[in-house]
Amino acid sequence: ETLHALDPNGDVGLDNLETLYERTEDWDNLVRIYRDKIGRAGDVTTKKHFAALMGFVQAEKLDSAGDAIQTWHQVLGWDPNDSDALVQLDALYSQQGDWFNLKETLRKVQENQIASGNGEQGWADAQFRIAKLYENPDQLGDVNAAIDAYGDLLAKNPTHTGAIESLQTILAEREAHDKAFATLRPVLEKSERFEDLWQQYEVLAKHQVDEPEKQVESLHQMADLAEI
C-alpha cells in the first residue's frame, strides 16, 4: 500500500491493490478499494461497474447479503431503471426471505417493463410471482390480495394458465372460494371453457353445504352448462 499512500489520488496504486487483494482473497480490503474507486469515478457508468463488483464480493465472498442489498440500492439511486440491480435484489431478497421487499422489487420490474413499451411478458411473469407471494401462507399470506393479483393478471392475459390453475386451487382449498370463483367465472365464460366452468361450479357447490340457497343456484348453473 506504499504506492497508494505516496499517491493517494492516483489510479495505479488502487489497481495494484485491487489485483493483490483479489489474488490473496482479502475480500474486506477489496471492498474498501471498490468503495474508493466508486468515490473517484467521474461518471455513473463507471460507478455502476465498481458497485457491481463490490456487490458480488459482498454477497458471494463475504456472505453479507445486507451489505450487497445496500450496494444495489445505491446503484438504483444513480439509475432507477438499472435492470442488473433489480435482478440482484430479486435474488438477494429471495435468499433472505424478505418477501415484502421482494414484492416491491417485482413492482419496480413491472414499472420498467411498462416504461419500455414492449414488456408484456415480463410484466406478467412478475405479476404471477407477486400473486404467488400473496398466496403462500409462509410468505405474504394474503389470499384475498392473491386473488386480486391473479385477477389483474387475467385482465391483461385471460389465457394465463398459471393464474387460472392457481385460482382453481384457491377455490378448492381455501376459505376465499367465493371471491376466487367470482374472479375465475368470467374468464372461463369468455373463453367458452364450459366444461371447466361446470367443474368449478361443482367445487363451489361442495363449499355451500351450509348455504342451501346458494348451493341450489350453483346446481342450476351446472344443469344449464350441461345442456351447452
Side-chain angles (χ1 to χ4, degrees):
E1 302 197 16
T2 303
L3 179 58
H4 180 53
L6 291 173
D7 184 15
N9 296 316
D11 292 331
V12 175
L14 282 178
D15 291 343
N16 289 336
L17 286 173
E18 180 183 355
T19 301
L20 172 65
Y21 292 146
E22 187 172 7
R23 186 173 66 245
T24 59
E25 300 185 356
D26 187 345
W27 307 123
D28 286 313
N29 274 318
L30 184 58
V31 165
R32 180 171 61 82
I33 294 300
Y34 288 143
R35 288 191 193 280
D36 202 345
K37 288 195 168 191
I38 290 169
R40 292 164 179 260
D43 60 88
V44 169
T45 299
T46 304
K47 288 180 182 290
K48 287 165 59 174
H49 170 72
F50 289 116
L53 294 174
M54 184 168 73
F56 172 80
V57 171
Q58 289 167 324
E60 301 297 329
K61 303 300 183 182
L62 292 173
D63 195 24
S64 181
D67 288 339
I69 286 169
Q70 289 183 358
T71 296
W72 286 110
H73 273 293
Q74 187 176 26
V75 171
L76 289 178
W78 300 323
D79 179 2
N81 299 317
D82 189 275
S83 58
D84 290 337
L86 292 171
V87 168
Q88 294 301 321
L89 287 170
D90 181 336
L92 288 163
Y93 284 134
S94 297
Q95 174 188 327
Q96 294 290 95
D98 187 343
W99 310 123
F100 176 81
N101 279 311
L102 175 57
K103 180 201 69 172
E104 293 300 301
T105 299
L106 292 171
R107 292 287 189 208
K108 181 62 179 175
V109 169
Q110 289 181 307
E111 290 175 11
N112 286 358
Q113 294 291 341
I114 292 172
S116 72
N118 58 356
E120 291 185 8
Q121 185 60 51
W123 183 95
D125 291 344
Q127 182 70 8
F128 184 67
R129 291 181 61 198
I130 290 169
K132 280 296 181 186
L133 287 173
Y134 279 124
E135 183 183 352
N136 191 328
D138 295 325
Q139 294 177 348
L140 293 180
D142 185 340
V143 68
N144 287 300
I147 294 169
D148 289 338
Y150 288 128
D152 291 343
L153 175 52
L154 288 169
K156 289 181 176 290
N157 184 354
T159 62
H160 194 285
T161 302
I164 292 172
E165 291 179 349
S166 295
L167 286 169
Q168 289 173 333
T169 298
I170 292 172
L171 173 59
E173 300 177 0
R174 306 289 284 273
E175 292 183 1
H177 44 77
D178 285 337
K179 184 172 182 175
F181 181 80
T183 303
L184 191 57
R185 175 182 174 177
V187 175
L188 297 179
E189 287 179 336
K190 188 172 183 179
S191 59
E192 298 185 348
R193 294 172 58 172
F194 298 123
E195 183 176 349
D196 286 340
L197 183 56
W198 187 95
Q199 292 172 349
Q200 300 316 307
Y201 266 116
E202 183 181 33
V203 173
L204 183 64
K206 291 178 181 178
H207 286 301
Q208 295 170 329
V209 63
D210 295 325
E211 301 175 285
E213 291 185 4
K214 290 184 177 181
Q215 188 178 55
V216 168
E217 175 60 26
S218 294
L219 293 173
H220 281 313
Q221 293 290 344
M222 290 169 64
D224 290 343
L225 287 168
E227 295 178 0
I228 296 178

